[in-house]
Amino acid sequence: MREPSVHQLRLLLAVAEELHFKRAAARMFISQPALSQQIRALEERLGIGLVERGSGGARLTTAGAAVVEEARAVLAAMERLLRVSDAQADAIRGELCVGSLGAEAAMPHARAVLAHLREHHPHLQVEVRNLNFVEQFDALANGEVDAAFLRGPLPPGLQSVRLASEPRVVCLPADDPLAAETTLTLAQLADRTVVDMPRDVPRLWWDHLTVNPRPDGTPVRFGPVVRDTEAMVLAVLQARAITFLPAAARQLYPRPGLVYVDAPELGESESYLAWLPAHRDVLAVRALREAARATAQEGEQLP
């Protein structure tokens, strides 16, 4: 091996700055013979003389002076490398705020992602923040959350990984005549009022989820405006409207007086982990993305 060790380069710099082996050895907290031995070993590795020893001290050879300049550059680069490494390590040990639209973080696919993240990055502090319909996209755009578990369709400008898909169902009052049906069509629901969203919620998102307009071109009749899922099911309980939800709502939002009925025409509800492109390479977000991709590969095998 010709490559000198970092320790040897530090010793050489100490000799170059002190021009005295005894003082350099004291500065580096080693014995003078050990210092001399390391300098000789460095000279042998490089195949050149670096230091001339005399009774009054030491001086660098011409080759030694040239090597010292390069040694300073190498050690400076090494310090930068360690600073970068420490910064990256601190990011993994830092904090990550993950948004959750309603109960999304309670879904099996989201729990699997967070469990994978905790297993592989136990020092990363993860906060899960509940988001309502208005906040879900704004919280990402404003940097209030680093990433979020959301339901599609996602607006342009976000990057994402698809985590799961499930059927959508109709949520309606138990005393509605249609509540006794095993499946429903959009035509059967044509005269029902549907829960609406605040105007701050992207209209394309809610129109897609409510199939507005319907396949025959008929616009949906919207009713009470709600900001979150709890308010949504309450509006249905008060018999003011119906709504459409992922099939998991049967387990997440069971309420006396509510009925969930299959409606194949509604299609699938897709779950995503989403983030801003500018945040994708932040270390904590990258770790979350890797956890999402690792668990998403299991697909339908998720519990």
Side-chain angles (χ1 to χ4, degrees):
M1 287 180 59
R2 290 199 61 208
E3 294 86 354
S5 68
V6 172
H7 180 58
Q8 288 173 330
L9 294 181
R10 290 197 176 104
L11 295 179
L12 175 63
L13 285 189
V15 172
E17 291 168 2
E18 297 292 341
L19 294 178
H20 197 282
F21 272 80
K22 185 175 181 180
R23 290 196 297 268
R27 172 175 157 182
M28 300 302 292
F29 300 101
I30 66 172
S31 67
Q32 184 174 339
L35 173 61
S36 296
Q37 182 180 4
Q38 286 294 325
I39 295 299
R40 283 194 296 271
L42 177 59
E43 290 174 323
E44 289 175 4
R45 282 193 174 190
L46 297 178
I48 53 175
L50 301 173
V51 182
E52 292 181 350
R53 300 153 180 82
S55 57
R59 70 179 186 86
L60 295 175
T61 65
T62 301
V67 169
V68 162
E69 290 304 311
E70 297 301 323
R72 285 196 176 97
V74 169
L75 293 175
M78 182 63 69
E79 289 177 4
R80 289 194 300 271
L81 183 150
L82 293 175
R83 283 198 300 270
V84 169
S85 298
D86 289 343
Q88 300 303 313
D90 287 342
I92 288 293
R93 292 182 174 85
E95 298 178 352
L96 178 71
C97 186
V98 183
S100 169
L101 175 61
E104 279 301 298
M107 296 294 290
H109 49 266
R111 295 203 312 270
V113 172
L114 295 175
H116 187 282
L117 186 66
R118 285 193 297 269
E119 178 184 354
H120 290 82
H121 303 285
H123 301 296
L124 182 63
Q125 299 298 312
V126 180
E127 174 192 356
V128 177
R129 184 178 301 177
N130 185 268
L131 304 175
N132 62 35
F133 297 126
V134 176
E135 298 167 331
Q136 58 176 326
F137 301 125
D138 288 345
L140 273 175
N142 299 335
E144 296 173 28
V145 298
D146 301 300
F149 293 111
L150 303 174
R151 291 278 170 165
L154 301 181
L158 294 181
Q159 294 180 340
S160 64
V161 57
R162 179 179 172 277
L163 299 175
S165 180
E166 63 182 306
R168 297 170 64 213
V169 295
V170 183
C171 175
L172 65 168
D175 58 0
D176 189 299
L178 296 178
E181 302 290 331
T182 55
T183 61
L184 290 170
T185 66
L186 290 174
Q188 289 174 288
L189 300 168
D191 63 346
R192 297 301 195 272
T193 299
V194 178
V195 171
D196 202 3
M197 294 282 123
R199 59 177 64 173
D200 291 337
V201 175
R203 196 69 232 174
L204 288 176
W205 181 77
W206 191 232
D207 282 344
H208 174 87
L209 295 179
T210 55
V211 195
N212 181 43
R214 295 293 160 77
D216 63 0
T218 305
V220 171
R221 185 173 68 201
F222 288 107
V225 175
V226 299
R227 296 177 65 89
D228 57 43
T229 310
E230 286 291 348
M232 179 181 283
V233 297
L234 179 61
V236 175
L237 277 171
Q238 293 173 342
R240 293 192 293 156
I242 67 168
T243 194
F244 307 134
L245 287 168
R250 287 185 167 112
Q251 289 76 45
L252 296 173
Y253 299 99
R255 300 290 186 275
L258 274 189
V259 172
Y260 295 96
V261 181
D262 293 336
E265 288 179 300
L266 292 175
E268 296 284 300
S269 176
E270 297 190 326
S271 299
Y272 294 88
L273 174 71
W275 59 88
L276 287 177
H279 296 166
R280 64 172 283 113
D281 290 323
V282 173
L283 249 261
V285 176
R286 183 189 300 174
L288 180 64
R289 291 195 294 109
E290 291 170 353
R293 290 199 170 91
T295 54
Q297 287 175 358
E298 300 173 15
E300 304 304 323
Q301 298 172 20
L302 287 172

